[in-house]
Amino acid sequence: MPELPEVETVVRDLRAARLVGRRIVKARVFWRKTIADPAPTGFAREIRGRTIQRLARRGKFIVAELSGARTLLVHLRMSGHLDVQPAKTRPRRHDRVVWTLDDGRQLHFADTRKFGRVWLVRNPAHVLGELGPEPLEISSAALAAGLAARARQLKPLLLDQTFLAGVGNIYSDEALWAARLHPQRRSDRLTAAQAADLRRAIQAALRKGIRNLGTTFGNGQTHFVLPRGERGRNQEQLNAYGQTGRPCPRCGTPIRRILVGQRSTHLCPRCQRQPKESR
DNA sequence: AAGTGTCCCTGCGAGC
DNA sequence: TGCTCGCAGGGACACT
């Protein structure tokens, strides 16, 4: 499941593939619902001839600035995958959109579960405008103020993209574990020190994910794999996420899995105590 | 305002 | 082996 570190890794990989400066000569859409905006026919027509000028990331969105004041936005959601293929590669089973570049190479958007979305817009704020701050850039004061301004359970709040842009299920569990905070603690009841701990933990978890080239589960068919087909290695270093029943690396208590806001959540019941006043 | 439930999708693992 | 079934999950949306 691509979150901030995985998307950052994809963007860096695409930059390394030297897509910037290439012109898009053709777009083929194999699954219409993948194109969120505009309509699929207009999408193919409007993107043709535009040059990729810059590749960036905002939250979990991949942002490609194109010539002629257009922006291509890609959200991988659950199973989306971008990779660069040689000229004349035939579309594969799960390809939803394929762009052909002026050097013949193709950019493939494959997406097994079809949750991923692609936009071609004049104004990216139309899509990105509601996103909260970048977690790697937010100040301690801003995060503390944001936590205090809401009365939410920590875990759903961290997953709320209008609160912080880019944190998902894996890294929120890892951050809460590192900060020793129960996922259902109320956001407005943290001490200043706990808020500062949480910020450090979020940033450390994300930076570690980026260093490890992301978290890869499964075979890449349903889970994250780098554009060049490599696997990340963060899954080998997780402390809480997916570790149900295994000993907490800090205290040895078995990691427990609970549901919070319909999302599976992993925690150490001893390190991450739920204070009475929070529920 | 915060929380819950439903939907979108498909592959996979469990159970039979 | 081959079947059915339930789960996984980011985000949009309706509803309480």
Side-chain angles (χ1 to χ4, degrees):
Chain A
M1 319 99 215
E3 306 179 23
L4 187 154
E6 288 74 31
V7 177
E8 179 66 27
T9 301
V10 168
V11 169
R12 291 180 184 186
D13 241 40
L14 293 176
R15 286 198 197 110
R18 301 191 170 279
L19 296 186
V20 171
R22 298 270 56 88
R23 189 163 42 86
I24 296 166
V25 298
K26 186 177 176 183
R28 284 177 290 169
V29 176
F30 300 104
W31 185 256
R32 297 173 60 85
K33 288 169 85 170
T34 296
I35 310 296
D37 192 37
T41 50
F43 175 85
R45 177 167 22 88
E46 282 182 40
I47 203 167
R48 176 176 297 168
R50 297 184 192 277
T51 300
I52 301 169
Q53 295 183 324
R54 200 170 87 90
L55 288 167
R57 177 194 60 74
R58 173 77 174 98
K60 301 177 194 172
F61 287 82
I62 295 155
V63 181
E65 289 178 17
L66 307 180
S67 59
R70 292 292 195 288
T71 302
L72 177 68
L73 299 163
V74 178
H75 197 303
L76 303 172
R77 290 279 177 89
M78 295 301 300
S79 58
H81 175 71
L82 282 172
D83 62 344
V84 180
Q85 295 289 327
K88 296 179 180 168
T89 301
R90 296 204 179 279
R92 288 159 307 176
R93 183 169 171 199
H94 297 301
D95 285 344
R96 309 304 175 199
V97 183
V98 173
W99 296 269
T100 305
L101 307 176
D102 59 351
D103 59 5
R105 290 185 300 161
Q106 303 172 348
L107 179 63
H108 287 231
F109 178 63
D111 183 20
T112 308
R113 292 184 186 168
K114 300 179 175 174
F115 286 172
R117 290 292 179 267
V118 173
W119 296 254
L120 178 65
V121 293
R122 290 171 199 269
N123 180 8
H126 179 67
V127 180
L128 307 175
E130 298 295 307
L131 288 180
E134 285 290 322
L136 291 175
E137 293 166 16
I138 192 169
S139 71
S140 199
L143 182 66
L147 290 165
R150 325 236 194 158
R152 301 271 304 273
Q153 299 183 129
L154 287 178
K155 165 92 183 229
L157 184 56
L158 294 183
L159 296 182
D160 184 340
Q161 299 300 296
T162 67
F163 182 73
L164 276 183
V167 178
N169 215 27
I170 297 172
Y171 296 95
S172 64
D173 280 6
E174 291 299 295
L176 289 166
W177 177 87
R180 303 177 192 237
L181 290 168
H182 192 284
Q184 291 177 303
R185 285 285 302 264
R186 268 183 54 168
S187 63
D188 58 345
R189 303 213 178 153
L190 296 192
T191 65
Q194 287 173 326
D197 282 350
L198 180 56
R199 172 173 170 271
R200 271 193 294 275
I202 292 167
Q203 296 188 341
L206 295 173
R207 289 201 186 101
K208 181 174 151 196
I210 293 171
R211 265 202 317 278
N212 286 330
L213 305 177
T215 304
T216 302
F217 290 113
N219 54 11
Q221 188 76 222
T222 51
H223 297 294
F224 175 75
V225 178
L226 297 177
R228 58 178 105 102
E230 287 178 53
R231 298 164 57 85
R233 52 180 184 273
N234 204 52
Q235 65 280 1
E236 298 154 15
Q237 297 174 32
L238 296 174
N239 294 303
Y241 183 85
Q243 305 302 302
T244 311
R246 298 173 68 173
C248 166
R250 231 171 3 219
C251 76
T253 305
I255 296 291
R256 202 147 76 197
R257 176 182 177 275
I258 63 173
L259 278 183
V260 181
Q262 310 300 94
R263 290 275 185 266
S264 73
T265 298
H266 310 76
L267 72 152
C268 171
R270 182 168 172 191
C271 299
Q272 297 168 268
R273 294 269 172 85
Q274 168 73 298
K276 290 188 206 95
E277 69 272 14
S278 288
R279 283 225 50 86

